Amino acid sequence: MEENKNIDKKSLKFLKGKNTDWDELAKDCVCFANSLGGFIYIGIEDNEKLPPETQKILDRNLPDVIQKNIAHRTVNVGVAVTIEEAKNSAEYIQVQVFRNAQTIASTTDGKYYARVLDECKPIPPDEMARLAADKNAFVWEEQTTKRVPSIQYDEQKRRNFLSEIRNSVRVSNFIKEMTDDEIMEFYFIQKNGCLTNLGILWIGKRNDRASLLYSPAIQVIRYDDKDEKVWKLLLDDYFLNPKELLERVLDDVPDWQETDERVAVIVKKQFVSKEVVRLMDKASSEFSLKQKEVISLGLLAQQQSFTALEISSILNQNEEVGLRNWLGRLSELELIIKTGKGKGTQYAVNPEFIRKINFKGKTNLKNIEDYRLEELVFKDLKAYPKSGFGEIHQRIGMEINQYKVKRMLRAMVEKRILDTSGETRGMKYHLR
């Protein structure tokens, strides 16, 4: 057993508890996943074919520990970790890394590697396109790459699945009249004598489910009003299928707002000001606003105003049409006002509406009126004559939109309040 493009060996001394170099192991797994898959044997020295005689793996939980640490440090990497017995009756740990035929594997910090002969090499940028082209597109759920026999299932889970299918009002009689195996194949639970990935996920045994690339796990954390963690539920032992996981969460998580027909989950609002929430509620009830309009109004109320680019970025809208859909009728209803053009377009909550509802939100210079901005510029240049745009902007307040400041400077030059010297970036302003 020599190290090659499919095999890597590590001494059992590699496992040092909290001092284990898990990042190194994760890198090796990424290498194999991006190549043809492979095996990492922990407990066999580099120049040996077998583990040391009498070697035993005392901690039988090591496979689970190794699998979890690999999962936490890699993306798109599937492994199966088991304790094996060699020909000399000594034990070692086998980490089987499955080839990722669909996407490119990486470490969680965004590094890519591939196996070249018996070494792990970083993938240069010019090779990424070729590697991506080599990946075959396929539906993960229908694959049988684990080669788990279709008879290797959890009896109770299979019985429950068939019972729920046959008793469901949403399933046609045509399907209900099928045999058990026909139903399994119809729902892609098994194929060609093997359980599919979906089948392993839904009716498979725990060990097979744990080795899936997308093993199901849920972590529920409860926080108090001070954002301190007061309760935690961790379901990552792979005993449950996805449906059972959700049922366990509904049954075991305390303090659900629950009725006979539905379960409601309260998500903490991102609007930290009670005044902003009051403004949103008042506008929504008075003008029958759509959800997108209420959200946009709340965002503007938090900061008084935004440029078109700023609010588009927050709402993840790259096109003007998308932003218009979010703002909706806010301008038409005179809830917000729009000033400027192009990149200098500014949106702000209408001061009249703010005064009408006695809004007490925070104030800043972002939405400063033109006459006040002109006064600021005048006083600044009186104290610091022959200043450039950048100097003026920094002194009067960087929170004011730069296009608004430039527009004001041009207007003051046109009104012959200011004179200029120099050109373009070197232009200086001073009072006449």
Side-chain angles (χ1 to χ4, degrees), residues 21 92 105 141 169 200 273 295 299 359:
D21 190 353
Y92 64 98
E141 290 85 351
V169 296
I200 296 172
S273 168
I295 293 172
L299 289 171
F359 178 70

Side-chain angles (χ1 to χ4, degrees), residues 319-332:
E319 298 180 0
E320 185 178 352
V321 175
L323 179 58
R324 285 204 302 267
N325 289 336
W326 275 87
L327 296 176
R329 301 167 297 142
L330 295 179
S331 290
E332 180 182 325

Side-chain angles (χ1 to χ4, degrees), residues 132 140 142 167 171 188 193 195 199 244 330-331 420 426:
W140 177 85
E142 298 179 20
N167 290 309
V171 177
F188 307 106
L195 290 179
E244 293 167 336
L330 295 179
S331 290
T420 63

Side-chain angles (χ1 to χ4, degrees), residues 221-253:
I221 300 176
R222 181 183 175 192
Y223 296 88
D224 61 15
D225 293 338
K226 298 178 181 178
D227 286 333
E228 294 181 355
K229 185 163 60 176
V230 295
W231 184 86
K232 178 178 179 181
L233 173 66
L234 185 60
L235 301 173
D236 64 347
D237 52 15
Y238 312 116
F239 279 106
L240 307 178
N241 65 26
K243 180 176 180 291
E244 293 167 336
L245 279 173
L246 292 176
E247 290 173 343
R248 176 76 184 277
V249 170
L250 293 178
D251 291 339
D252 291 4
V253 175

